[in-house]
Amino acid sequence: MLNLSLIKTIYMLTNTKTSIPKKNFKVVFFYLLSLVLALYACNGKHDNKDKSSSNLTVSDSMKCIRKLDAKEFLPSWSKNNVLVYQIPAEPDGLHPTNSMSALRSEINLCTQGFLMQEDLQHLDVMPGVVKSIPAVSPDGLNYSFELRDEPKWDDGKQLSVEDVIFTYKANKCPLVDNPEARSSIENIKDIIQDKANKRKFTIIMKRIYNQNGSMTVEFPLIERVFFDPKDVLSKYSFAQFDDEKFKADKQKDLVDWANEFNGGKYGRDPKYLTGLGMYKVAKWDEGHSITLEKKPNHWTKNSKNIFEAANIDKIILKINRDPNSLLLEFKSQELDASTSIPLKVLLELRNDSSFNKNYNSEIVSTFNYQSIVFNMKPDLKRQKLFTDKRVRRAMALLTPLDEINKVLNHGINKRIVGPVSPNKKEYNNDLKLLPLDVEQAKKLLDEAGWKDTDGDNIRDKIIDGKKVQFIFELSYPNVAVEYTNAVQMIADAMYKAGIKMIPSPLDPATHRKNLNVHNFDMIMTGWQQNYAPEDYTQIWHTKSWASNGSNFGGFGTPESDALIDSIKYTIDPDKYIPMVRRLQEIIYDEQPYIFTFASMKRVIVHKRFGNCEIYFDRPGILLNNLKLLAMKANN
């Protein structure tokens, strides 16, 4: 593991004018993927000598849990090499650039290829479709890669540097409907193919940035001839896409290409869901399931990389969010795995001896968090209820989080104070959890002008010349009974202070759409993070509200924007960590969210599958790497 002194040494080397031999910059990719990965990853060292046979155990170092393979294959276990994986809802789509849901990213691990991969076992990174971690120039701005020869598209064509360039141009094109991804890719200046070796290329960055490596891990590669048969994007440069004066919407060929590329077929129709991965989307039965099938004679068949394993013939992602049905399906062994089962259901299953005989299960910490967002900048569709931070703080004081955790989560979840996981070094422990305090909430509401003037037990206020009652909707995805119960508990608590909250359950697609267009009063949401340092632009910068990015509520101050702009270009942890803690202080004071809990992942895997590793980082388990033990027994 990189220690702090080594991180500082790398930082000083990359910021000195001393000439350093280029070979010394064929780096620890820690530097690329935010340099300080190890600072946040593990408290103890890991041994890389024998990763395949190491018995990984539960630890606070946030690595993974390795389950031993079952010693015998029980007669009641199916020998069918098909894995049925429970999901609570469909992904927002499987578009190569425009879809953003967590489940889409998980499916991509089976169907897509990436330049680099996250090593989930050791919270490190590893080569994907490139031969090795990149060589880095002395100034830290040029990242040189060489593609492996094996990767081939489904049409038999070899992955090319042309495809890599097209991938990042498509993501950067201003007409492509992917605003949430823009901040991660904005720093690319150009991608240059090597003249002597057509398999080599260099990504040139504008400046040192703590996300310079994330684009190699998070963005699936796209085949140019499939998505751009007329080769339109080759006519345009990265520099043009960066130029604010460039009028992309005036270029007819670019507009025509983007309209086609943004179309729904590339996100939903299995005929158009192509990729470098080992599996193809064979069927999408909307509202019920998504079926992935192993591709025959795929280029990965001899790979030892766990991300390129394809041990399961078919993976069926089955939608089920009904607690009673989930109990029955796991007890009858109709479902093989889950990472999103309701906690109450898992705890009940664990009291069943037959379940414990048939399944491995774990509850593990993650880097993710849950929250409730205030609409701080409502348009004509919504009332101006939460524009005053005193009101937002009052709402937080009225939210019975400790009771919710006790009643619904059995006290397992950890409360949080802001948008940083408690598992990270930069989490601000100086900020105190807010208590349930109805009297203090009433005082703040009075100060903000919200009083019950007509004796109906609902506070009211004159806004823009009209009397407005404090009645609002709390929207939430209808994917878990815990959400419904939590929202009702919040509604009951707020009514005690003269506020009427109306629960508004939404299907996931409508929930997502309303977030994007700011059509809500308050709305429940969650964010997935990993162990690496964050760029807070996507969620917290004011420009991410104006552009329909992920700043859904409209938060932002001049100081917070300036901090975010500095944080993403700061590599030195001695500077980075204090800035992130200061950002948390600003967010804490402004109360744009009610921060609820750090997410706990509930994982179930049937014991008929070996190779079972449960990861603290997303996605929790690698479905493709599980292996039916009956096949092993027959060999």
Side-chain angles (χ1 to χ4, degrees), residues 386 567 608:
F386 306 115
I567 286 169
R608 70 191 186 98

Side-chain angles (χ1 to χ4, degrees), residues 392-409:
R392 299 193 295 270
R393 177 55 57 90
M395 304 300 282
L397 292 168
L398 291 170
T399 304
L401 293 176
D402 290 328
E403 183 182 1
I404 289 171
N405 194 25
K406 180 180 178 181
V407 174
L408 301 182
N409 304 324

Side-chain angles (χ1 to χ4, degrees), residues 453-565:
T453 64
D454 52 17
D456 64 353
N457 199 39
I458 303 297
R459 292 174 182 266
D460 52 76
K461 181 180 178 179
I462 302 299
I463 300 177
D464 297 333
K466 295 181 179 180
K467 181 179 177 180
V468 176
Q469 286 193 303
F470 208 136
I471 301 174
F472 72 95
E473 291 182 342
L474 173 53
S475 303
Y476 62 97
N478 62 352
V479 296
V481 67
E482 290 97 333
Y483 291 165
T484 300
N485 294 338
V487 168
Q488 188 57 56
M489 292 173 71
I490 296 171
D492 293 343
M494 288 187 174
Y495 190 72
K496 296 175 183 177
I499 295 171
K500 184 175 181 180
M501 192 201 82
I502 301 172
S504 176
L506 303 172
D507 65 85
T510 303
H511 178 267
R512 182 72 184 180
K513 179 180 178 181
N514 285 2
L515 273 169
N516 288 334
V517 299
H518 315 142
N519 183 20
F520 60 89
D521 296 320
M522 285 171 59
I523 192 165
M524 296 180 73
T525 189
W527 288 110
Q528 291 215 36
Q529 297 180 323
N530 62 15
Y531 56 89
E534 296 286 330
D535 174 3
Y536 295 92
T537 303
Q538 176 189 343
I539 302 175
W540 297 105
H541 202 285
T542 54
K543 68 182 183 182
S544 293
W545 180 83
S547 65
N548 282 340
S550 299
N551 185 355
F552 303 124
F555 165 80
T557 69
E559 184 183 0
S560 66
D561 278 354
L563 265 174
I564 291 168
D565 290 338

Side-chain angles (χ1 to χ4, degrees), residues 338-509:
S338 172
T339 58
S340 58
I341 189 168
L343 178 61
K344 183 179 179 181
V345 176
L346 176 56
L347 294 179
E348 184 171 344
L349 286 170
R350 281 179 153 186
N351 289 325
D352 186 303
S353 59
S354 295
F355 171 82
N356 294 322
K357 179 177 67 175
N358 295 324
Y359 291 90
N360 290 307
S361 66
E362 291 287 345
I363 302 171
V364 297
S365 182
T366 72
F367 296 96
N368 310 329
Y369 67 88
Q370 300 166 346
S371 57
I372 303 173
V373 185
F374 293 107
N375 192 338
M376 299 168 59
K377 294 182 178 180
D379 57 18
L380 295 177
K381 298 177 183 177
R382 299 287 172 170
Q383 297 283 3
K384 297 178 181 178
L385 302 177
F386 306 115
T387 56
D388 189 324
K389 71 178 182 181
R390 292 172 296 184
V391 174
R392 299 193 295 270
R393 177 55 57 90
M395 304 300 282
L397 292 168
L398 291 170
T399 304
L401 293 176
D402 290 328
E403 183 182 1
I404 289 171
N405 194 25
K406 180 180 178 181
V407 174
L408 301 182
N409 304 324
H410 296 261
I412 289 175
N413 284 359
K414 297 178 183 177
R415 287 190 57 189
I416 56 173
V417 297
V420 176
S421 167
N423 296 316
K424 289 191 171 187
K425 295 282 187 179
E426 62 265 39
Y427 181 79
N428 194 331
N429 286 296
D430 293 333
L431 302 176
K432 304 303 180 184
L433 295 172
L434 295 177
L436 177 66
D437 192 335
V438 177
E439 294 308 312
Q440 178 62 17
K442 288 179 178 179
K443 181 180 177 180
L444 289 171
L445 290 167
D446 287 343
E447 291 176 1
W450 287 97
K451 300 180 180 180
D452 180 9
T453 64
D454 52 17
D456 64 353
N457 199 39
I458 303 297
R459 292 174 182 266
D460 52 76
K461 181 180 178 179
I462 302 299
I463 300 177
D464 297 333
K466 295 181 179 180
K467 181 179 177 180
V468 176
Q469 286 193 303
F470 208 136
I471 301 174
F472 72 95
E473 291 182 342
L474 173 53
S475 303
Y476 62 97
N478 62 352
V479 296
V481 67
E482 290 97 333
Y483 291 165
T484 300
N485 294 338
V487 168
Q488 188 57 56
M489 292 173 71
I490 296 171
D492 293 343
M494 288 187 174
Y495 190 72
K496 296 175 183 177
I499 295 171
K500 184 175 181 180
M501 192 201 82
I502 301 172
S504 176
L506 303 172
D507 65 85

